[in-house]
Amino acid sequence: MDSKLKRIYIPMSETAFYILFCLQSPQHGYGIGNAVKEMTSDEVVISPGTMYGTLSKMEKDGLIMLINEVEKRKIYEITDLGREILDIELRRIKRLYKNSIGDDYHGENNHKV
């Protein structure tokens, strides 16, 4: 993997994460926005400008690819490179979560949520 891409996307913004996560199945921008709102109980709302700017950048960087266009809606899907970056980010998030609820290096859990 290109180390420049890794520096750009890891750690990933919340917006980029949800877009890439949703594109594990083919989807268009409007559908991604609805899925993210539903997934997050309306706590994360991606504006159209942010959505389409991020999709364009991710496509240019090779993380996603355009697979179809239906009624003027571009359908995208994650690429192998995008999946690799998403997997790295998921491992990072899992580590953060595990460390936040688990034992610290002294074997004590001082930070209950």
Side-chain angles (χ1 to χ4, degrees):
M1 171 190 318
D2 184 338
S3 62
K4 181 183 173 200
L5 283 179
K6 199 170 178 182
R7 282 194 312 272
I8 291 169
Y9 287 101
I10 305 295
M12 194 173 285
S13 71
E14 194 171 29
T15 296
F17 172 80
Y18 278 116
I19 289 171
L20 208 51
F21 186 80
C22 287
L23 288 176
Q24 293 178 93
S25 300
Q27 187 62 270
H28 49 73
Y30 182 75
I32 293 167
N34 286 339
V36 170
K37 284 180 7 183
E38 184 177 325
M39 218 182 300
T40 65
S41 301
D42 291 329
E43 288 185 29
V44 177
V45 178
I46 304 172
S47 72
T50 300
M51 174 70 71
Y52 295 105
T54 304
L55 287 170
S56 177
K57 179 167 177 26
M58 286 182 165
E59 183 180 20
K60 184 180 134 227
D61 290 340
L63 277 64
I64 64 173
M65 65 181 174
L66 177 66
I67 59 169
N68 200 357
E69 191 166 339
V70 178
E71 298 176 10
K72 296 186 180 182
R73 290 191 176 170
K74 294 180 178 181
I75 312 290
Y76 295 94
E77 187 172 42
I78 195 169
T79 62
D80 289 342
L81 175 61
R83 191 169 310 283
E84 185 178 348
I85 287 177
L86 180 61
D87 287 345
I88 291 168
E89 183 66 359
L90 284 168
R91 285 194 303 271
R92 188 185 75 80
I93 291 167
K94 286 177 186 174
R95 184 188 71 240
L96 288 171
Y97 177 73
K98 179 181 168 206
N99 289 336
S100 74
I101 63 167
D103 295 338
D104 65 15
Y105 64 94
H106 294 294
E108 299 171 10
N109 188 355
N110 297 324
H111 305 286
K112 298 215 182 227
V113 177

